[in-house]
Amino acid sequence: MNANGKNGELRIGFYICHCGHNIAGVVDCPAVAEYVAKLPGVAVSRDYKYMCSDPGQELIQQDIREHKLNRVVVASCSPLLHEATFRKAVAAGGLNPFFFQMVNIREHDSWVHTDRAAATTKAKALAHAAVRRVRFHKALETTRVPIHPDVLVVGGGISGIHAAITIANAGKKVFLVERDPSIGGHMAKFDKTFPTLDCAACILTPKMSAVRSHENITLWTYSEVVKVEGYVGNYTVTVKRKPRYVNEDLCVGCQECIKACVYKEGKFPDEFNVGLSKRKPVYIPFPQAVPQVVVIDPHYCLQLKTGKCKKTCLEACADRQAIDFTQKEELVEIKVGNIILATGFKLFDAKRIPQYGYGLYPNVVTSIELERLVTSSGPTSGEIVLRDGKPPKSVGFILCVGSRDMKTNRWCSRTCCMHSMKLAQLVREHTDADVTVFYLDIRAPGKGCEEFYDKSLRDGIQFVRGRVAEVTDWALAPEEEGKLVIRVEDTLAGFVRRIPVDMIVLAVGMEPHADAQDVRRLFNLSCGSEGWFLEKHPKLAPVSTFTDGVFIAGCCQGPKDIPDSIAQAGAAAAEAMALIDKGYIEQEPNTAYILEQDCSGCKSCLPLCPFTAITFDEAKQKASINAALCKGCGTCVAACPSGSIHQNLFEDEEIFSEIDGVLSYA
Amino acid sequence: MKYSYFPGCSLKGLGRSYEESLLPVMKQLGVEIAELEDWNCCGATAYMSVDEAKAGVLAARNLAIAEKSGPHDLLTPCSACYLVLNKTKHNLEDFPDIRDTVHNALRRGHLTYSGNTKVRHPLDVLVHDVGLEAIKQKVVRPLKGLKVAPYYGCQVVRPYSTFDDAWNPTTMDRLLAALGAEVVHYPLKTKCCGGSLTGTVPEAGLRLTYILLKEAVRRGADVIATICPLCQFNLDAYHDQIDRRWGPARIPTVYFTQLMGLAFGLPARQLGLQRNFIPMKALGTERATV
């Protein structure tokens, strides 16, 4: 089709959207339409209340037919929001969808200006630019690339587990990669969950076993993703499998080797019990661990450290021969179409607030430490005791430790109010202790959470409003002797109080992992200023990212509780499956291409391409671009010394005419 | 290594033993110190709370003289002077009104101040410029077995925690350890000593002093080391009143520079140790390694 109509005549349709008051409140839309109507090549120029509405789109289609339009320009909101909408409308009217240009006069104009006359002037200039530009648009076709149906889930906490099972249940293959020796994440450490007080293990372990036994899930624990290449639908991922010195296929989890270890007692801090108990160099992370496979810690194992050990573990394993001290790190390459990141969070280090005395006073503990104490499978078999083994007579909970704090982390960690109230109720259940909760605001917005707060109040838990100033061990009054004293301004009573207690629980907040920035770079994501992974849109695309085919779920996106994490995991799974079931990816034709006759074969472009889309044809001595790999970043276009690289939708004449258009408005 | 020196009123009066110990210690370490000529009162915190601009003039005159005397940092041992001079520097940077008032006043006195002179505390200079290694080398009589409670007071780390943490400063802890002393865990190290309230509202002020003293005693300290003349005075001078109100909490309070002098082998009298109300027990001579 001749781009300029039958006679080569240019017939542009221009539409300016009021967007209710969003644009029309600041920009004089009829005046812009009137101005554009007089520009050369413009056949129709209209203003309309909502261009994105059905009648608005219908208007474009009708004009294409009646006025024989061959180019369309819409001045409205951001192309991110509605470019696809209007391209579709143009195509429905019978034109190639790329004979269309969009002008953003909302985010770029009406929303950021208040002076009506100046904003109208700017809208006219921007409209003029688009009208000039669209003349040079070419008919382009989107290309379809097939999608690899397998999915990679990174992180085996509750979010990753749920996402993996959801996708696997739909018949897709899933690789679940977890850094630790077992899946289960933080939730595996919990005794009960709020606000229902149901047993965390009872609801988590069936899901963990399901992962292990699912025919569609390949579970790789003690493994990390080290390299990601490719693009949506076609990722090549390299996974590092750390040696556990035990053959996963041969080990049955009988734990005879652990009993037989030359270390008769545990000697090294047990990660699962956050250092409250000791483990041996050969261990299984916790009784319900999945997989039920032993790990040998090379930092502590005598054989691995010194090569001098009686190797009693080998004897115990006997004929199974599951222990293998020669195991080496392994790199495995897999191909997947979509990736779901559920890498979670780390807890705030309470030592960063020295005035709360964590690490200084033994009976100042963190919320996760108390969680382990209260769990029946924990280091004290569920007894809440002080370091000297006696039960506490009084317990104080300090909230917002490393949350809502200008000096450490500014965000609300969202779960600590409820988590602390749950622990407070469990303390009341397990001991005779008086419990006081020191809070800034109680945030209990989840379903059933306010009712849980009510129950806490009725159960006799004391609440004192105020940020605790410090925890000290010096006494002013006889009743403070030998106690930890909490100094706090009670902002409801209006004075400073000193409250002596036996045990202090710091409700530590959530933070992004220390290596979140590395993971971000690995998967080509963005992070917000706090370091959480950034979603594509906070409301409309909460589990998508700016990298197509990479989704986020759970606390790596920001602090959230278990129900919210599960909801996100399900959403991420659905998004991935929507792409898989469609079967192909439609690629924007904004790719770069090389005019072979102009290419001098200098190879300048080759190392510049971030997507390795450029190859060099040694026979012809010319570079060539694989359109399927090109993401249209334009780096090579700008760098090419001979000007032989061009880019669809960003041709020189398109850009220069656009500039001319902006500048010609006086 | 050379520094200008602003003693302030305390080091010439009540806190003279601070100067008496500071100067020889610095000399031993080869640090050159030149007292400012014609320095004046820093204004203390009292004037600041009445009129910040005028108080700024008083303080800034010292800064201007220091700047004129050379490109050296200004050594300011008294915590109140240290705070007031630093606060004046900040005020001059942040508040144009105060800056105008101060510059006009200085001009009339044929002075200028461009903001270049740094105000430094001797603790900062000793640990960060001189260094613990150099100090260790001068120790001839390690303070072995001496249990010291390190007490920093409020002003040196707050609000401008320029050289140490505001909540848990450790500079002096490390210095004392380098002298061979046993540093007592003393979480009250930045608590208020009572300040001027010991004189004006003794009920409130002395209570704060008492807490510091009795906690140092309870934690087994032999001596409290301080870096501020007012802290030293409050902790040392009110024991009779404290005895009457709460019972005895007797423990000597000395300047950290006095402990340094002892470790360097200087005689106690030369360090002004005889001026204490609660005297520090003599260190056993058998520990001398000279």
Side-chain angles (χ1 to χ4, degrees):
Chain A
M1 170 182 166
N2 183 335
N4 293 352
K6 279 201 182 89
N7 315 318
E9 183 201 1
L10 190 67
R11 295 187 64 78
I12 303 172
F14 175 79
Y15 304 86
I16 180 165
C17 177
H18 291 207
C19 195
H21 289 292
N22 277 304
I23 294 171
V26 181
V27 172
D28 184 347
C29 295
V32 177
E34 211 174 293
Y35 163 77
V36 172
K38 294 182 192 130
L39 296 177
V42 175
V44 179
S45 181
R46 302 182 194 276
D47 64 297
Y48 190 74
K49 203 150 206 133
Y50 290 107
M51 281 309 296
C52 60
S53 66
D54 276 353
Q57 296 183 48
E58 182 55 37
L59 190 63
I60 296 174
Q61 292 163 24
Q62 206 178 323
D63 282 352
I64 291 173
R65 289 190 292 268
E66 284 178 13
H67 294 272
K68 311 242 174 313
L69 301 182
N70 50 27
R71 296 288 189 279
V72 172
V73 174
V74 175
S76 58
C77 52
S78 163
L80 264 181
L81 202 60
H82 276 312
E83 189 171 51
T85 312
F86 294 124
R87 276 185 183 163
K88 251 184 226 161
V90 169
L95 273 183
N96 181 288
F98 294 94
F99 284 139
F100 165 77
Q101 177 66 14
M102 193 160 177
V103 189
N104 185 355
I105 55 161
R106 195 177 71 174
E107 283 85 339
H108 288 181
D109 192 2
S110 66
W111 276 1
V112 291
H113 296 299
T114 47
D115 181 332
R116 190 174 171 82
T120 304
T121 300
K122 183 171 173 180
K124 286 178 185 173
L126 292 171
H128 195 159
V131 166
R132 289 267 189 116
R133 178 195 223 275
V134 80
R135 165 199 306 259
F136 294 100
H137 277 205
K138 293 184 294 192
L140 298 169
E141 298 298 333
T142 54
T143 47
R144 286 181 175 187
V145 184
I147 278 209
H148 196 290
D150 295 356
V151 181
L152 167 68
V153 177
V154 186
I158 183 60
S159 303
I161 289 173
H162 185 74
I165 292 178
T166 308
I167 297 169
N169 282 347
K172 323 288 182 205
K173 299 278 181 207
V174 181
F175 294 92
L176 177 58
V177 174
E178 163 61 44
R179 175 143 68 179
D180 286 341
S182 170
I183 56 170
H186 293 273
M187 188 178 169
K189 296 177 182 169
F190 297 161
D191 179 47
K192 292 181 174 177
T193 57
F194 63 78
T196 44
L197 291 185
D198 48 348
C199 161
C202 309
I203 54 177
L204 177 66
T205 45
K207 288 181 88 90
M208 289 166 63
S209 324
V211 166
R212 183 63 174 158
S213 56
H214 208 297
E215 53 178 8
N216 287 334
I217 299 179
T218 305
L219 172 62
W220 285 339
T221 55
Y222 219 40
S223 303
E224 282 176 55
V225 174
V226 291
K227 198 160 128 198
V228 180
E229 286 174 314
Y231 52 96
V232 54
N234 296 280
Y235 286 108
T236 304
V237 179
T238 310
V239 179
K240 178 175 85 185
R241 305 207 59 200
K242 296 179 270 189
R244 60 201 300 156
Y245 303 104
V246 172
N247 188 321
E248 257 185 74
D249 300 324
L250 298 179
C251 176
V252 288
C254 70
Q255 307 190 21
E256 288 301 324
C257 53
I258 302 178
K259 280 181 220 151
C261 178
V262 293
Y263 284 98
K264 290 294 160 233
E265 299 290 328
K267 198 180 168 206
F268 311 102
D270 179 342
E271 293 85 354
F272 187 72
N273 280 329
V274 284
L276 293 173
S277 64
K278 305 275 191 221
R279 64 162 169 82
K280 297 181 179 182
V282 51
Y283 69 107
I284 202 149
F286 53 101
Q288 301 83 11
V290 168
Q292 276 286 317
V293 175
V294 167
V295 200
I296 300 179
D297 188 335
H299 299 101
Y300 303 129
C301 171
L302 278 182
Q303 175 61 24
L304 289 167
K305 263 176 69 180
T306 63
K308 287 178 198 150
C309 181
K310 284 192 278 177
K311 290 181 272 187
T312 40
C313 53
L314 278 182
E315 289 165 31
C317 192
D319 294 343
R320 288 209 178 276
Q321 300 189 330
I323 295 177
D324 175 7
F325 286 116
T326 64
Q327 233 177 40
K328 293 269 174 301
E329 182 180 296
E330 225 183 304
L331 293 178
V332 191
E333 203 177 89
I334 53 171
K335 294 211 179 292
V336 294
N338 288 282
I339 298 171
I340 295 174
L341 286 180
T343 51
F345 63 96
K346 81 172 167 65
L347 288 167
F348 177 81
D349 176 10
K351 284 190 181 143
R352 283 173 59 194
I353 306 184
Q355 59 268 37
Y356 289 169
Y358 181 74
L360 194 62
Y361 306 121
N363 289 318
V364 176
V365 300
T366 63
S367 42
I368 191 69
E369 286 171 354
L370 181 61
E371 188 77 53
R372 291 313 300 154
L373 288 182
V374 84
T375 312
S376 57
S377 66
T380 56
S381 305
E383 275 194 69
I384 299 174
V385 288
L386 300 169
R387 300 276 175 178
D388 62 6
K390 290 186 195 138
K393 293 200 178 65
S394 49
V395 178
F397 283 81
I398 302 180
L399 267 51
C400 296
V401 178
S403 305
R404 304 182 68 197
D405 178 6
M406 300 297 271
K407 291 204 182 82
T408 55
N409 296 329
R410 294 174 66 170
W411 57 84
C412 166
S413 292
R414 287 188 62 187
T415 55
C416 338
C417 285
M418 290 305 299
H419 185 220
S420 299
M421 283 193 272
K422 177 199 79 178
L423 288 172
Q425 293 202 4
L426 293 178
V427 169
R428 298 278 291 171
E429 225 172 73
H430 288 240
T431 69
D432 301 324
D434 291 326
V435 177
T436 313
V437 176
F438 299 87
Y439 69 102
L440 302 188
D441 299 288
I442 288 295
R443 296 193 164 173
K447 193 173 184 182
C449 291
E450 183 66 20
E451 294 88 327
F452 194 81
Y453 177 31
D454 282 345
K455 180 174 181 298
S456 304
L457 290 166
R458 279 200 310 275
D459 286 355
I461 295 166
Q462 298 289 316
F463 286 80
V464 173
R465 185 171 177 274
R467 189 184 280 284
V468 169
E470 65 175 346
V471 171
T472 64
D473 67 342
W474 49 273
L476 266 187
E479 67 270 21
E480 295 178 358
E481 293 290 348
K483 302 258 181 181
L484 292 166
V485 181
I486 291 174
R487 285 214 322 137
V488 58
E489 182 190 1
D490 184 330
T491 56
L492 295 180
F495 58 88
V496 175
R497 296 173 70 177
R498 294 174 59 90
I499 298 176
V501 292
D502 293 327
M503 179 189 250
I504 288 173
V505 184
L506 303 179
V508 285
M510 294 188 199
E511 290 188 324
H513 276 298
D515 62 353
Q517 289 296 331
D518 299 332
V519 176
R520 174 186 77 76
R521 276 187 285 273
L522 190 61
F523 291 93
N524 194 22
L525 302 180
S526 305
C527 280
S529 54
E530 305 93 350
W532 304 107
F533 296 152
L534 196 63
E535 62 282 355
K536 192 169 185 179
H537 191 282
K539 296 171 188 70
L540 302 178
V543 296
S544 304
T545 67
F546 288 100
T547 302
D548 293 339
V550 178
F551 304 96
I552 47 179
C555 290
C556 63
Q557 182 257 352
K560 52 183 66 67
D561 59 8
I562 295 167
D564 285 2
S565 297
I566 296 269
Q568 276 205 336
E575 295 274 3
M577 285 192 290
L579 281 172
I580 298 167
D581 284 348
K582 193 177 173 193
Y584 61 87
I585 301 293
E586 202 140 11
Q587 280 197 321
E588 273 273 302
N590 63 346
T591 47
Y593 59 94
I594 296 182
L595 296 179
E596 213 172 73
Q597 68 273 19
D598 295 344
C599 173
S600 66
C602 74
K603 299 188 188 175
S604 309
C605 52
L606 287 169
L608 296 175
C609 179
F611 309 98
T612 54
I614 311 181
T615 49
F616 193 72
D617 186 332
E618 293 290 345
K620 289 191 199 163
Q621 287 293 303
K622 307 274 183 194
S624 91
I625 294 173
N626 179 348
L629 293 177
C630 175
K631 303 295 275 179
C633 72
T635 309
C636 59
V637 184
C640 179
S642 65
S644 68
I645 310 186
H646 290 242
Q647 189 178 355
N648 289 320
L649 290 174
F650 295 94
E651 300 284 2
D652 282 356
E653 62 262 37
E654 289 171 352
I655 291 170
F656 287 132
S657 323
E658 199 170 7
I659 296 170
D660 284 346
V662 171
L663 298 179
S664 68
Y665 184 85
Chain B
M1 225 177 283
K2 192 176 173 184
Y3 297 88
S4 311
Y5 170 47
F6 176 73
C9 60
S10 289
L11 273 83
K12 299 293 180 187
L14 269 179
R16 75 177 60 171
S17 53
Y18 197 175
E19 182 175 77
E20 283 167 349
S21 54
L22 174 71
L23 298 182
V25 160
M26 287 299 196
K27 198 175 168 190
Q28 286 259 323
L29 290 164
V31 180
E32 219 179 307
I33 283 179
E35 186 172 328
L36 288 187
E37 266 179 45
D38 194 29
W39 56 266
N40 56 263
C41 170
C42 74
T45 46
Y47 198 7
M48 273 273 173
S49 36
V50 178
D51 187 325
E52 277 205 328
K54 283 182 191 155
V57 174
L58 203 59
R61 184 175 174 275
N62 294 311
L63 294 170
I65 294 171
E67 197 171 270
K68 200 164 116 185
S69 73
H72 317 294
D73 291 356
L74 183 61
L75 199 62
T76 312
C78 166
S79 292
C81 300
Y82 178 79
L83 174 63
V84 166
L85 294 188
N86 265 318
K87 189 170 181 183
T88 301
K89 268 173 74 81
H90 280 264
N91 281 349
L92 290 174
E93 279 161 27
D94 298 343
F95 302 108
D97 289 0
I98 295 182
R99 186 162 57 225
D100 289 350
T101 308
V102 169
H103 282 171
N104 280 336
L106 288 179
R107 208 174 302 127
R108 291 197 193 173
H110 308 291
L111 285 168
T112 57
Y113 177 60
S114 62
N116 288 332
T117 299
K118 274 192 196 149
V119 180
R120 305 277 305 277
H121 194 275
L123 184 58
D124 176 17
V125 165
L126 281 165
V127 173
H128 298 122
D129 294 5
V130 177
L132 292 178
E133 274 314 307
I135 291 171
K136 267 187 203 162
Q137 281 172 15
K138 293 285 170 195
V139 174
V140 294
R141 200 177 165 196
L143 305 178
K144 224 173 133 203
L146 186 71
K147 292 181 181 166
V148 189
Y151 176 58
Y152 295 75
C154 59
Q155 290 174 319
V156 80
V157 283
R158 289 201 296 267
Y160 310 116
S161 48
T162 41
F163 69 91
D164 210 338
D165 184 77
W167 276 99
N168 183 27
T170 53
T171 319
M172 182 165 39
D173 299 40
R174 285 182 281 133
L175 174 62
L176 293 169
L179 301 178
E182 187 182 323
V183 181
V184 173
H185 168 56
Y186 192 59
L188 302 87
K189 51 170 77 162
T190 60
K191 287 249 144 334
C192 177
C193 70
S196 51
L197 290 183
T198 47
T200 52
V201 193
E203 205 45 60
L206 288 179
R207 191 162 172 270
L208 296 171
T209 314
Y210 166 68
I211 291 167
L212 292 174
L213 291 167
K214 79 138 189 158
E215 281 299 320
V217 172
R218 187 172 79 86
R219 286 158 202 274
D222 300 320
V223 61
I224 298 174
T226 179
I227 61 170
C228 167
L230 186 56
C231 295
Q232 198 277 337
F233 179 74
N234 278 339
L235 293 178
D236 190 38
Y238 291 99
H239 281 272
D240 54 340
Q241 291 196 45
I242 285 168
D243 283 359
R244 276 203 304 278
R245 286 172 198 262
W246 297 285
R250 298 219 166 196
I251 180 169
T253 304
V254 301
Y255 294 105
F256 75 108
T257 43
Q258 289 177 310
L259 292 178
M260 287 183 79
L262 286 176
F264 288 0
L266 301 172
R269 273 200 89 77
Q270 208 177 307
L271 299 165
L273 275 163
Q274 76 284 4
R275 299 188 197 282
N276 264 34
F277 288 109
I278 305 288
M280 187 178 154
K281 278 191 207 120
L283 291 174
T285 44
E286 71 280 4
R287 281 197 291 267
T289 54
V290 193

